[in-house]
């Protein structure tokens, strides 16, 4: 039994074109993800007293702490600022990745592809 596909509505040619387009999108996404993984973000918190460098893989590369913020009697404040800086860095990576991937996917949600 053959499916009746109206002319101009698809067929093998259209399916091949869609598969090529999907493969191209997947290649573009893989290339972009490799670029984004290598990108380095520098984020500061606590009025610039703590700086965090993170890459696109969300790996912390460096943490720079200004001596003025180190108070042995108030480690809690330093800890809070470190947490804020790291969380802000992770958010920046995720936002950039989502925005850049959205340019390729046209905003489509494609779980598992990136």
């Amino acid at each position: 039994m053959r499916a009746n596909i109206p002319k101009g509505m698809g067929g093998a040619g259209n399916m091949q074109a869609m598969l090529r387009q999907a493969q191209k999108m997947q290649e573009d996404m893989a290339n972009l993800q490799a670029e984004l993984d290598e990108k380095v973000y520098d984020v500061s918190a606590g009025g610039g007293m703590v700086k965090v460098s993170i890459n696109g893989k969300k790996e912390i590369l460096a943490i720079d702490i200004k001596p003025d913020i180190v108070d042995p009697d108030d480690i809690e404040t330093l800890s809070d600022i470190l947490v804020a800086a790291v969380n802000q860095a992770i958010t920046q990576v995720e936002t950039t990745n989502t925005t850049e991937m959205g340019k390729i996917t046209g905003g489509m949600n494609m779980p598992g592809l990136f």
Side-chain angles (χ1 to χ4, degrees):
M1 177 191 272
R2 287 181 29 176
N4 287 327
I5 300 174
K7 290 189 178 208
M9 291 290 294
N14 250 0
M15 182 61 83
Q16 286 178 339
M18 285 181 8
L19 287 173
R20 279 194 303 272
Q21 186 177 9
Q23 282 179 322
K24 170 81 168 100
M25 183 184 296
Q26 196 170 25
E27 288 172 15
D28 290 348
M29 289 170 59
N31 291 335
L32 178 59
Q33 188 62 59
E35 287 177 33
L36 291 171
D37 285 350
E38 295 301 315
K39 189 171 179 170
V40 175
Y41 302 81
D42 294 309
V43 177
S44 64
M49 298 305 276
V50 173
K51 293 183 182 176
V52 173
S53 292
I54 187 172
N55 67 18
K57 296 181 210 174
K58 301 178 196 165
E59 298 168 334
I60 303 298
L61 304 174
I63 297 177
D64 180 39
I65 302 169
K66 300 286 184 199
D68 298 347
I69 194 75
V70 180
D71 179 356
D73 296 328
D74 190 13
I75 297 298
E76 188 176 336
T77 297
L78 177 58
S79 179
D80 290 345
I81 293 172
L82 282 169
V83 168
V86 170
N87 286 337
Q88 186 177 342
I90 291 169
T91 299
Q92 186 173 353
V93 170
E94 290 175 345
T95 300
T96 300
N97 287 354
T98 300
T99 300
E100 293 301 315
M101 282 296 175
K103 291 177 183 176
I104 292 176
T105 65
M108 291 187 311
N109 185 10
M110 304 176 80
L113 288 181
F114 60 95

